[in-house]
Each structure stands twice: as C-alpha cells, then as structure tokens.
C-alpha cells in the first residue's frame, strides 16, 4: 500500500485568524475544502494538507477531548529547503502571534527551530543536508 496524500486535522478556536496566520507564513489555501468551520492549508500541493477545524466541528469527528494548548498531543515537523527558510518561517510565525517553545538546534547535518501556532500546536521546522549525515 502506498499513501498518496496526508491530511493532518487540528482543532482551532478561530478559523479566520488561523487563515491569516498561515497565509502570512506563505501557504496557500484550498478553498474547495475551506469554509467558516474549516480551513485547508496546502503544505505540499497534491500531497500534504493541514485541516484546521473549528473546535465544535472537530468534535463531530471524535468523541475524545481536545488537548488544551498547554499540553502536547503531537509534534508536527516540516522540512524546508534551507536554514534561512527555517529561521524565516519561525520569525514570521512569532511576528504574527505564534510563540517560541524551544531554542534552535544545530546537529551539523540537520538544523531545526520551532514555534507554536495560535492554538498551541507545536511545529518543528527543519532543514537536513543528507550529504552531511553521519554514517556511524
């Protein structure tokens, strides 16, 4: 079996503020799957999408409680094309209401930085140079 797409579904309090946050980070919206209850952020065209669902709508898909913004249910990691893009995305997120939850980490072959979005979802942004990956 091969997966051809992934949709990560996350609860949010305010769909419009979430739309503004992610478009300021440079992401496009799939309007076909977006309305006042949800927004579909295109992470990688035709492959990866983040579905931000208003909390009340999110509850129609599960009967489990939503993790509060001060708890961690999952860490979301996304890869970009350079160290500069890592820092630029985190900087833009912080300028637009996101918050910092860890310091940048440089592992030589991999560099990462992180932010929490408006709803407390934690995003780790990373760049990896596989040619520098240690072999041992």
């Amino acid at each position: 079996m091969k997966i051809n797409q992934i949709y990560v579904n996350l609860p949010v309090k305010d769909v419009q503020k979430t739309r503004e946050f992610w478009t300021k980070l440079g992401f496009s919206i799939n309007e076909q799957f977006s309305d006042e209850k949800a927004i579909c952020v295109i992470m990688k065209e035709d492959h990866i999408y983040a579905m931000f669902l208003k909390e009340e709508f999110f509850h129609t898909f599960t009967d489990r409680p939503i993790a509060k913004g001060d708890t961690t249910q999952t860490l979301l990691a996304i890869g970009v094309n350079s160290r500069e893009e890592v820092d630029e995305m985190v900087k833009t997120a912080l300028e637009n209401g996101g918050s910092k939850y860890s310091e940048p980490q440089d592992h030589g072959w991999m560099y990462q930085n992180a932010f929490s979005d408006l709803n407390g979802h934690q995003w780790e942004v990373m760049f990896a140079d596989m040619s520098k990956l240690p072999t041992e």
Side-chain angles (χ1 to χ4, degrees), residues 21-94:
F21 181 83
W22 286 98
T23 55
K24 286 178 182 173
L25 284 174
F27 291 91
S28 299
I29 307 302
N30 181 333
E31 297 297 347
Q32 185 178 10
F33 297 119
S34 301
D35 57 24
E36 70 281 348
K37 298 182 292 185
I39 182 168
C40 179
V41 176
I42 302 167
M43 296 282 170
K44 181 173 173 112
E45 187 73 45
D46 297 325
H47 298 288
I48 305 169
Y49 303 90
M51 292 293 303
F52 295 97
L53 311 175
K54 191 165 177 93
E55 287 181 349
E56 296 81 8
F57 186 49
F58 187 88
H59 275 297
T60 67
F61 296 97
T62 181
D63 60 357
R64 295 174 66 184
I66 294 173
K68 302 298 179 212
D70 60 350
T71 61
T72 300
Q73 179 94 15
T74 185
L75 292 174
L76 301 155
I78 53 179
V80 295
N81 293 318
S82 70
R83 293 172 58 101
E84 293 77 22
E85 285 185 37
V86 170
D87 288 334
E88 184 61 31
M89 182 177 287
V90 172
K91 178 180 176 274
T92 302
L94 299 178

